[in-house]
Amino acid sequence: MQFGIFSVSDITRDPVSGRTPSEAERIDAIVKIAVKAEEVGLDAFAIGEHHNPPFFSSSPTTLLAHIAALTERLVLTTATTLITTNDPVRIAEEYAMLQHLAKGRMDLMLGRGNTAPVYPWFGQDIRQGLAIALENYNLLHRLWREDVVDWEGQFRTPLQGFTATPRPLDDVPPFVWHGSIRTPEIAEQAAFYGNGYFANHIFWPTSHSKRLIDFYRQRFEHYGHGTRKQAIVGVGGQAYIAKRSQDAVKEFRPYFDEAPVYGHGPSLEEFTKGTPLTVGSPQEVIDKTLTFHDAFGDYQRQMFLIDHAGMPLGMVLDQLELLGGEVVPVLRKELASRRDPESADAPTHAGLVQAKYGDGPARQPSPNANRGDNVTGASPYQDGDVEAEYPAIG
Amino acid sequence: MNDQHTTGAEPFRLAVVSGGTSDPSSTRMLADRIASRVGALAGERGGAVAVDVIDLRGLASEITTAIVSQLMGPKMTRAIEVLGRADGVVASAPVYKAAPSGLFSSFFHVLDNDLLIAKPVILAATAGTARHALVVDEQMRSLFAYLRTMTVPTSVFAATEDWNSSELGERIGRAAIELLLLMESGFAEQVRSESWKHYQHEYGSAGGTELDIDLGTDLMRLATGGAAPPRRKE
């Protein structure tokens, strides 16, 4: 079981001080937050992707590569990478590059994005969003598994003899989570490919997330990737922690009340009752998180949202101390004692390498000399099955 | 004819939605008069009606919460359950500024589009002046058309001067028998059992009851590595 934090990358006015940080400040802060996450013993850090203010994270792989260089254990990931408005070819290239630089300490979560005006900026149409997401992933899947791809679809220009470079580290594609709250097609795609399914368990009651998690588990087994229990599930949640419950409520309320997504709507009390949000002592956060396990069964990754709604850096770092110091160690122990031995381990690069090669050596492809195209001849890589033969000239 | 109901074994479930805000409220009183008339007519015909009342005043803060955050509070959740299992609905709104009240409209705006499909509905409204008389037919009826309810032909409108007129009672009687006959016919049940999948749904819609997943769609084929259907020319 991995524990981590995920950030939307919002740059929001701090409702207590009245100040809105600059982009520069917030970008510096997110790096400190990620480094701190490793320091306090968390396993994963995820950043969102947006292409409009007030968000900063338009270029997740750049940020994550930087954090990778500053950390040693932390798994760098996304929440989410836009599989609709990004060209899957660019996703294949950028995330494979990140995978090399991070020495495999990365994966990614795919999502659609729900801001309609963003789509046309990238030549797409939100009304086709689901079809684009599904088709783009079908292509991405092949780009990371086949050295040379011929492909034709509805939403991007066709490819003939295309090789996405660099090839994935150890020729093992980055692990992919498909994020969805209410779209069975996304859960089905995750199950079909044996990928992970991530339920952003933030706005709706647990019963809501459970429906598609159960569907995904059943379909994962149907497609022969393992049993239901071996399916790979991630869950998003949010918490605000203080030593004493009443302090947590007092400190968090102004941020809750003006939070971009649910501010000026439900009261903090209504929201904590009706959704997975916990505002309280470490023990309260532990107790509520354990109820997710009761509902979903063993799952592989629990992410928390802790840096949104204008919360200043110091406050977020304090949250990390409590999360890493008091909440997660207890959760690790409790969940380990409840864990079914049949359930899957959390996905890691080392695990995927082991699954592919056993104890044998991993493939390390070296390219042939440039011959101008991939269409003629054989593999562009030296270990390709067929030797290329070229006509003698002169 | 639905034998189950006419033998009196199980009463019709009638949901009354009232947008009235005072207590007592004329909007609620109008809804109650309609509901009791439906009950009386059903009784004469050997049936029975069980009424559940959804007074929107008590849901006001949960309705605004649902609009801004999609969070359904416990009272909204209960109201949705009541509407989801109702055989018929009486929807009664006060008219403010030549429109059904915002509270009333907002309540129906946050319901799933497919919650009320084919259900028989009586529309009713109250106002301080007869000048608002067409609000029911020109504004409320179109909202319920969007929700694809089976809205009865007779709407009930009561301005101040109508309360003591026998014509109001007659209109209530007409609307009530229309609703009762539609409930007796089993129209809603039949549409929903035979044609449900031809309406647009989202996973978890219809108040959280729409949980069927069709694995045979074009999108599902695309999800499992197949090709996308050709794009329609626009």
Side-chain angles (χ1 to χ4, degrees), chain A residues 17 21-22 27 33 80 96 110 116 138 145 183 229 340 380 382 384:
Chain A
S17 70
S22 67
I27 291 167
I33 289 168
T80 62
L110 302 177
N138 289 338
R145 285 164 179 82
T183 312
K229 287 177 184 172
D340 187 320
Q382 293 177 12

Side-chain angles (χ1 to χ4, degrees), chain A residues 274-288:
Chain A
T275 77
L277 171 67
T278 324
V279 181
S281 66
Q283 191 57 48
E284 285 171 289
V285 177
I286 291 163
D287 290 344
K288 184 108 164 215

Side-chain angles (χ1 to χ4, degrees), chain A residues 7-27 29-30 33 50 52-57 252-264 305-313 315-316:
Chain A
S7 173
V8 195
S9 92
D10 60 314
I11 307 177
T12 305
R13 173 180 167 274
D14 179 339
V16 174
S17 70
R19 215 180 142 267
T20 306
S22 67
E23 290 175 335
E25 280 176 87
R26 185 78 169 101
I27 291 167
I30 203 74
I33 289 168
H50 292 273
N52 50 319
F55 304 95
F56 67 78
S57 181
F252 187 58
R253 190 184 300 280
Y255 297 94
F256 177 88
D257 285 348
E258 297 201 17
V261 183
Y262 40 69
H264 310 287
L305 174 65
I306 60 158
D307 77 324
H308 64 134
M311 284 164 58
L313 177 61
M315 200 173 189
V316 177

Side-chain angles (χ1 to χ4, degrees), chain B residues 28-98:
Chain B
R28 169 72 191 274
M29 282 163 63
L30 181 60
D32 286 347
R33 267 181 79 176
I34 296 167
S36 62
R37 191 61 167 276
V38 175
L41 286 169
E44 286 168 21
R45 298 160 62 87
V49 170
V51 177
D52 279 304
V53 178
I54 301 167
D55 240 327
L56 298 183
R57 181 172 199 226
L59 275 67
S61 67
E62 289 191 13
I63 291 169
T64 52
T65 291
I67 284 180
V68 302
S69 76
Q70 300 181 22
L71 181 76
M72 290 293 174
K75 291 178 198 161
M76 273 302 291
T77 304
R78 188 186 156 270
I80 289 167
E81 279 166 16
V82 165
L83 287 172
R85 61 169 184 260
D87 299 305
V89 177
V90 175
S92 181
V95 174
Y96 299 160
K97 324 289 185 203

